[in-house]
């Protein structure tokens, strides 16, 4: 689906913004501090119920306001249509409505419209901890395997219970057994689906990285499932039982999975330059969009914040070329559109251009010419 209309209330400096007739490629440009990233943040809120800039909602809500809201109209093939609204307030509460019905889980919201973000901190996918990488992997599996969410929720419930029992001191293997059994069943499934997805990811990622950065040495993607690969999850849990009991939590399992990007035998996060890291992350995230579209026939919305930063003109052009060929709706920000216009095929005639200044968004109706 694609976002056709967007209404934003009290997100950072965007007091009240309404944008109609959004196109396939939407460029938000303007001086620093105008509100460009806040537009992307609002779209992301609509898809994920949270910000990509802050783990808390308070900094996102306009100063002096109790809450913020975003409303969007999505339209897809064969007349499919969805009206999505999200309201967040300072207490952290989340209210989501899809076509007038209140929904209670963020996964049901995320299912409506998959979204991917490429922004200044995206390199943290390589340099940061495993949580982000698991989230990245799970995003992909969740959108292509409809049974994944159920298995994941069950697994979460089991591990919480098991850990709570472990925390309460002396415990026998028999008392843990009911939780361990369900944990094993759901955990093995999660791993199986992750592995299947990962195999696809390796192939698509390699092809994309070759296009985006042909000069980079071969990059290897490795998946770690979270326990000894020679053991079943059941056997691994049994062998770690003594230390689980001693330390009061479950040490192994899919909750410890990770992926690594390895370049010439070294960790890509510590070896590559910032620009190279950005290209690798772009290839990873573009690969996810490509897999989604080939496996499910749906495209995700790409939010791209300040693409030219860290990238030289040629790499920027290559990313634009791949992005424009994905057949996905894109929201992209920049300070000066001239660079993007030169890099993005057909943007001067087919792109929707919006000027953002002091929290106000104005559509630019005139046709943009390269180097205008
Ligand atoms: N909670 C808030 N309430 C009101 N204004 C805020 C809040 N948080 C941030 N701002 C302001 O919102 C403005 C828009 O920030 P935003 O990051 O969207 O700008 P931008 O156009 O992306 O700028 P840049 O080109 O520097 O990336 C900034 O001036 C910022 O100071
Ligand atoms: Mg910005």
């Amino acid at each position: 689906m694609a976002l056709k209309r967007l209404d934003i209330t009290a997100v950072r400096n965007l007091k009240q913004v309404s944008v109609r007739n959004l196109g396939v490629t939407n460029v938000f440009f303007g001086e620093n501090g105008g509100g460009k990233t806040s537009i992307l943040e609002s779209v992301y809120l609509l898809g994920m119920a949270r910000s990509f800039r802050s783990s808390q909602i308070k900094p996102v809500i306009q100063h002096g306001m109790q809450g913020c809201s975003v409303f969007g109209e999505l339209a897809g093939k064969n007349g499919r249509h969805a009206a999505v609204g999200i309201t967040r307030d300072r207490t952290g509460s989340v209210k989501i409505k899809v076509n007038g019905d209140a929904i209670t889980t963020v996964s049901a919201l995320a299912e409506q419209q998959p979204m991917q973000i490429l922004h200044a901190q995206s390199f943290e996918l390589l340099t940061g901890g495993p949580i982000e990488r698991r989230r990245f992997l799970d995003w992909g599996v969740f959108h292509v395997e409809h049974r994944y969410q159920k298995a994941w929720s069950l697994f979460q419930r089991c591990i919480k219970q098991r850990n709570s029992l472990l925390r309460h001191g002396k415990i026998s293997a028999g008392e843990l057994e009911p939780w361990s059994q369900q944990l094993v069943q759901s955990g093995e499934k999660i791993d199986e689906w992750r592995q299947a997805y990962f195999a696809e990811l390796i192939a698509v990622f390699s092809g994309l990285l070759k296009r985006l950065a042909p000069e980079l040495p071969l990059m290897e993607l490795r998946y770690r499932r979270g326990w000894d690969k020679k053991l079943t999850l059941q056997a691994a849990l049994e062998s770690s039982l003594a230390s689980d009991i001693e330390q009061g939590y479950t040490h192994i399992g899919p909750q410890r999975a990770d992926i690594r990007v390895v370049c010439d035998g070294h960790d890509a996060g510590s070896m590559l330059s910032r620009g190279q890291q950005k290209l690798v992350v772009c290839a990873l995230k573009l690969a996810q969009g490509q897999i989604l579209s080939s496996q499910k026939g749906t495209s995700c919305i790409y939010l791209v914040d300040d693409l030219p930063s860290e990238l030289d003109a040629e790499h920027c052009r290559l990313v634009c070329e791949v992005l424009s060929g994905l057949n996905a709706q894109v929201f992209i920000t920049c300070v000066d559109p001239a660079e993007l216009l030169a890099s993005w095929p057909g943007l001067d005639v087919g792109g929707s251009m919006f000027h953002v200044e002091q929290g106000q968004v104005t559509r630019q109706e005139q046709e943009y010419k390269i180097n205008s």
Side-chain angles (χ1 to χ4, degrees), residues 53-194:
R53 282 204 275 195
S54 156
S55 57
Q56 294 182 340
I57 198 65
K58 264 191 208 157
V60 180
I61 298 168
Q62 188 159 84
H63 299 149
M65 301 295 284
Q66 262 316 304
C68 65
S69 64
V70 186
F71 170 80
E73 270 179 20
L74 294 152
K77 285 181 219 143
N78 310 325
R80 270 185 73 210
H81 177 95
V84 182
I86 173 143
T87 305
R88 300 278 331 243
D89 77 19
R90 287 186 177 274
T91 64
S93 93
V94 188
K95 286 194 187 116
I96 305 168
K97 277 195 171 176
V98 176
N99 294 330
D101 298 327
I103 59 170
T104 50
T105 61
V106 174
S107 57
L109 175 71
E111 219 174 344
Q112 286 292 322
Q113 182 51 62
M115 277 181 202
Q116 282 283 359
I117 173 88
L118 285 162
H119 61 119
Q121 274 71 46
S122 289
F123 65 88
E124 287 174 1
L125 189 60
L126 298 182
T127 59
I131 294 174
E132 273 305 308
R133 286 186 291 278
R134 271 198 297 278
R135 212 180 240 180
F136 164 82
L137 183 59
D138 286 342
W139 184 98
V141 193
F142 167 76
H143 283 294
V144 300
E145 173 51 68
H146 72 277
R147 293 166 294 180
Y148 192 68
Q149 178 62 30
K150 203 169 163 200
W152 182 243
S153 304
L154 175 63
F155 178 80
Q156 290 293 327
R157 231 180 14 256
C158 295
I159 197 127
K160 242 173 142 176
Q161 289 294 340
R162 191 177 192 271
N163 284 342
S164 147
L165 288 171
L166 287 166
R167 265 198 310 277
H168 286 94
K170 291 213 172 295
I171 184 116
S172 68
E175 283 171 276
L176 287 175
E177 191 49 30
W179 296 109
S180 301
Q181 255 179 32
Q182 291 197 57
L183 192 129
V184 164
Q185 277 166 13
S186 52
E188 292 275 13
K189 271 286 165 218
I190 286 168
D191 175 54
E192 188 187 308
W193 288 323
R194 279 178 175 166

Side-chain angles (χ1 to χ4, degrees), residues 8 25 63 117 142 297 302 346 354:
I8 305 165
T25 311
H63 299 149
I117 173 88
F142 167 76
Y302 275 93
F354 302 92

Side-chain angles (χ1 to χ4, degrees), residues 32 48 64 141-142 157 174 180 205 209 238 240 280 331 345 367:
N32 296 139
M48 306 292 281
V141 193
F142 167 76
R157 231 180 14 256
S180 301
F205 163 77
L209 191 63
E238 280 163 13
S240 78
V280 170
F331 292 77
E367 207 171 85

